[in-house]
Amino acid sequence: MGDADAYDRMLQAFVNWVRQKATTDELYAAIAAFKASVQSQPFAEWVEVLEYGRLVADETATEIASQGHRDELDPAIPSLYCLATTFGQTLGKFRLVHDASKVVDRNATRLHTVHFLPDPARPGEFMSPFMGAIEFADSKDHPQLQVADWAAGATRQWAQWMAGGGGDQFSRDLEPVARPWLIDGIWPAPVEGSET
């Protein structure tokens, strides 16, 4: 809807801002430059919503600098929550053995008490409980973690091939192994004779 380079610069400015390599002024200059490149007024209004968050961004930048908000933008916690609640629906309570992770360790209590919070996607309901007990281990001592790392890497390589519409023969050969590991319904079944 706007200039692709301006969009990329806006995304990079955001990443740099989170990493404290760009100021809030630089971030908002990149947002304004992208907004100016947008031709569709309704879409420009959506970009404008980012501009309304300037006061919050100023406060957040201060908190990031003081290490007050270390984990909110880290995808590990929501990803782990979604994965654990999905597994919990099938397995019930389980024990999760996880590689040593400072982010997961700092948020373990939050994960185990999330069911006390309202669910933003389902008004009037609470979040589903986190079904797994978390235990940290070193993959050198646990062959299960080595296999999990291999499975995650294989699935990621196959998914990148799927998303990119190309890739090497090894990535394509991973499909019969990687596809069954994924939750039914996330990836559409391939059409006979197609590459995906």
Side-chain angles (χ1 to χ4, degrees), residues 108-177:
T109 301
R110 181 179 296 177
L111 285 168
H112 289 298
T113 58
V114 72
H115 59 282
F116 293 120
L117 300 174
D119 187 334
R122 299 176 302 160
E125 297 185 37
F126 288 93
M127 299 287 287
S128 298
F130 186 87
M131 301 294 286
I134 302 173
E135 175 184 319
F136 295 105
D138 190 327
S139 61
K140 288 184 281 190
D141 303 325
H142 288 266
Q144 301 92 326
L145 287 176
Q146 295 169 21
V147 172
D149 286 343
W150 183 88
T155 304
R156 181 176 49 251
Q157 185 159 347
W158 173 70
Q160 286 174 331
W161 165 68
M162 289 284 290
D168 57 18
Q169 185 61 43
F170 177 69
S171 298
R172 292 189 293 275
D173 290 344
L174 286 172
E175 181 166 10
V177 178

Side-chain angles (χ1 to χ4, degrees), residues 22-171:
T23 66
T24 306
D25 288 338
E26 291 168 327
L27 170 62
Y28 276 85
I31 291 170
F34 175 64
K35 180 183 163 192
S37 76
V38 173
Q39 300 298 314
S40 164
Q41 183 57 35
F43 189 70
E45 290 172 5
W46 280 105
V47 177
E48 196 171 284
V49 169
L50 296 173
E51 293 177 323
Y52 291 134
R54 175 61 196 252
L55 292 176
V56 174
D58 287 328
E59 291 172 12
T60 303
T62 302
E63 291 174 351
I64 289 172
S66 69
Q67 300 294 309
H69 276 293
R70 292 182 289 185
D71 303 333
E72 278 77 355
L73 299 173
D74 192 312
I77 300 307
S79 297
L80 183 59
Y81 171 76
C82 290
L83 188 63
T85 53
T86 300
F87 284 160
Q89 291 171 357
T90 304
L91 302 173
K93 289 199 174 273
F94 61 92
R95 182 175 61 100
L96 172 68
V97 179
H98 196 290
D99 281 332
S101 166
K102 292 178 183 175
V103 172
V104 175
D105 189 35
R106 279 194 303 267
N107 288 277
T109 301
R110 181 179 296 177
L111 285 168
H112 289 298
T113 58
V114 72
H115 59 282
F116 293 120
L117 300 174
D119 187 334
R122 299 176 302 160
E125 297 185 37
F126 288 93
M127 299 287 287
S128 298
F130 186 87
M131 301 294 286
I134 302 173
E135 175 184 319
F136 295 105
D138 190 327
S139 61
K140 288 184 281 190
D141 303 325
H142 288 266
Q144 301 92 326
L145 287 176
Q146 295 169 21
V147 172
D149 286 343
W150 183 88
T155 304
R156 181 176 49 251
Q157 185 159 347
W158 173 70
Q160 286 174 331
W161 165 68
M162 289 284 290
D168 57 18
Q169 185 61 43
F170 177 69
S171 298

